[in-house]
Amino acid sequence: MMRIENLTIFPDRREVLVDDTLVELGSRAMDVLLILMEANGALVTKEELIDRVWPTTIVVDNNLHVHICQIRKIMGVHRKLLVAVPGRGYRLLRSAEPAQATSTFIAVAHSKHTANSLPFSSAQLVGRDTSLTEIGKLLCAHDVMTLVGAGGIGKSSLAAEVGRRHLSQFEGRVWMVEMAGRNTPCPLPAAVASAMGFTSQNGEHTAKTVIDLIDKKPTLLILDNCEHVIAEVAEFTHMLTRLNPACKILATSREALRIHGERLYHVIPLEVPRDDDSNASIPRRSAVQLFLARVSSIEPCFCANNANLALAGRVCKRLDGVPLAIELAAARAAILGIEVLAEKLDESIRILGGGHRTALPHHQTLEASFDWSYNLLSETERKVLSRLGVLRGAFTLEDAQAVAASDDLSVHDVTEAICALISKSLVVAHLEQGHVEYRLLETTRCYALQRLEANGQRNATERRRARYLSKVFCASHGNWTNEARSRVHGDNSSPSRQRLLSPGLGILPLR
């Protein structure tokens, strides 16, 4: 529930009450109202309103003005709170009464009617029911939770939905703070103060003074996209939970905060079709459901016949079930056709652009999402990641050291870099019965290869891989007779067989 003066809005039910009386408001006008409320008093440009309310339709300013008038009409005597900024857009103020300063900061009244800063979303969150249930349970038991995972995996969407589902539990005291600002970087205390409605007379914000103003009542603070300011967020979170045990933190990041009491939740990709799936099973996979939903929202005439379902499944598998990649692919499929999209994806991930104009810059194209992570790496980590691009599928630490170590990088450097890349959600580690294998998501591998090519290092890295392959074969030469026999009899336990078939090296079994 959100409230401004005598106006009460229930986003989930899309209902508006004026003086506790239900009033009618058109669907488009309701969308405009929710976007303005989400901005928490900040300016929303006409372009942003039009892009979000009419994403697939060309409209003019007059259409928007009609719905603004509808909102002002229901606001009655408080209509002046909806302010038009000539030539730019609109602001929805919280109150006509200027706040009275009692300290450095002035807090908006924190009651069960306090408006939260959660973003409005009309799109269904596909394939995340289990995750939402698990996160909800863990949140009850832990003061600090961090959703970690690769870029575009859906951490922000999950966190926002968790906040919406737990509004009543925290009596409306749920705020979401965007760390990856669209414009100039904003200090963490100032970002939190802005999201929670604290204002300052002198413009100065410190972590301690902001924390002192947060109610000592059950409160949820969601810190989104923390990886580029991870140390500052960790320090702020540690201080906040120590001084205010009633406040819980839900952070999203590509790496952990690494503070005492933190509970990690690894966000995994959506479910992709299996090799043996029938045409009837493919649409039941959550990755395909998301793809079809997004394509249909852009192109209502899209036909989900068997051929298109098979191609949709192929695209989703190629993208490893990463939601951002799937949404971008759906947007391209609606324009190019799904068959052309599937063909182009085999050439480059650069085709995956055209995200929402209102999205954060690193969510507008898949390449930009990877650039965001890549630019946060050290020089050594960048070199290792790009060189790992020559390894397909699963690989061992020995494989990685063989292709990445060179005159400028020692084996130790490579090992340390791989540990860092795992912690930053760029390399996936799989432990089974004491044996660890690693892999890059296919989209990550394609990006790594692009970087390797751009750096002029691909040929040298491929040569190291070839020399390593030669050594593996030579070392196993004495076992070829036994190896051939074990293959004929289907014996997969031979160590030399397992070594020779290392998927990351691309070695195929004998036929």
Side-chain angles (χ1 to χ4, degrees), residues 399-416:
D399 298 336
Q401 292 168 341
V403 301
S406 61
D407 292 340
D408 60 340
L409 288 180
S410 68
V411 169
H412 175 73
D413 291 335
V414 173
T415 303
E416 290 298 310

Side-chain angles (χ1 to χ4, degrees), residues 135 139 143-149 154-156 158-160 162 175-177 179 188 220-227 229-230 233-234 236-237 248-259 262-267:
I135 294 169
L139 193 60
D143 292 334
V144 180
M145 271 198 71
T146 305
L147 308 185
V148 293
K155 303 181 293 293
S156 299
L158 261 175
V162 168
W175 285 271
M176 190 166 187
V177 186
M179 297 288 103
L188 177 58
L220 176 61
L221 186 60
I222 302 173
L223 304 177
D224 192 29
N225 288 306
C226 299
E227 53 273 353
V229 286
I230 197 74
V233 171
F236 177 85
T237 299
K248 290 180 180 287
I249 297 287
L250 177 61
T252 76
S253 176
R254 301 185 189 190
E255 63 176 304
L257 300 182
R258 295 201 318 230
I259 62 174
E262 178 186 23
R263 178 62 159 86
L264 293 183
Y265 185 89
H266 292 272
V267 181

Side-chain angles (χ1 to χ4, degrees), residues 3 25 96 128 139 149 172 216 220-221 223 226 245 254 261 286 337 391 400 404-405 461 483:
R3 191 179 185 93
L25 189 63
R128 296 302 193 190
L139 193 60
K216 300 299 189 293
L220 176 61
L221 186 60
L223 304 177
C226 299
R254 301 185 189 190
S286 55
L391 300 177
T461 306
E483 185 65 32

Side-chain angles (χ1 to χ4, degrees), residues 294-408:
R294 296 299 180 262
V295 171
S296 298
S297 70
I298 301 171
E299 180 48 70
C301 296
F302 176 79
C303 178
N305 55 33
N306 286 343
N308 282 343
L309 283 176
L311 286 170
R314 174 182 156 191
V315 166
C316 292
K317 287 180 69 175
R318 177 75 170 77
L319 299 176
D320 288 306
V322 176
L324 175 63
I326 291 171
E327 295 206 11
L328 294 173
R332 286 293 187 243
I335 298 171
L336 303 175
I338 190 169
E339 191 170 350
V340 172
L341 169 71
E343 180 183 342
K344 294 291 184 183
L345 270 180
D346 291 332
E347 300 173 8
S348 174
I349 63 169
R350 288 184 174 137
I351 191 176
L352 297 181
H356 292 298
R357 288 189 181 93
T358 55
L360 292 169
H362 64 273
H363 283 167
Q364 293 185 11
T365 71
L366 192 61
E367 189 170 19
S369 177
F370 282 117
D371 285 343
W372 172 265
S373 290
Y374 188 82
N375 292 334
L376 295 175
L377 301 178
S378 69
E379 187 60 31
T380 297
E381 291 162 0
R382 293 178 188 180
K383 288 180 180 179
V384 172
L385 177 65
S386 61
R387 294 172 187 182
L388 293 179
V390 301
L391 300 177
R392 287 182 174 271
F395 57 87
T396 65
L397 180 61
E398 184 183 357
D399 298 336
Q401 292 168 341
V403 301
S406 61
D407 292 340
D408 60 340

Side-chain angles (χ1 to χ4, degrees), residues 460-495:
T461 306
E462 292 282 14
R463 283 195 296 271
R464 283 196 297 273
R465 175 176 172 270
R467 286 195 295 268
Y468 179 54
L469 281 175
S470 178
K471 289 181 181 179
V472 171
F473 276 112
C474 289
S476 304
H477 181 71
N479 293 326
W480 274 106
T481 302
N482 293 333
E483 185 65 32
R485 184 182 299 112
S486 66
R487 291 182 184 185
V488 170
H489 295 288
D491 179 9
N492 293 325
S493 61
S494 165

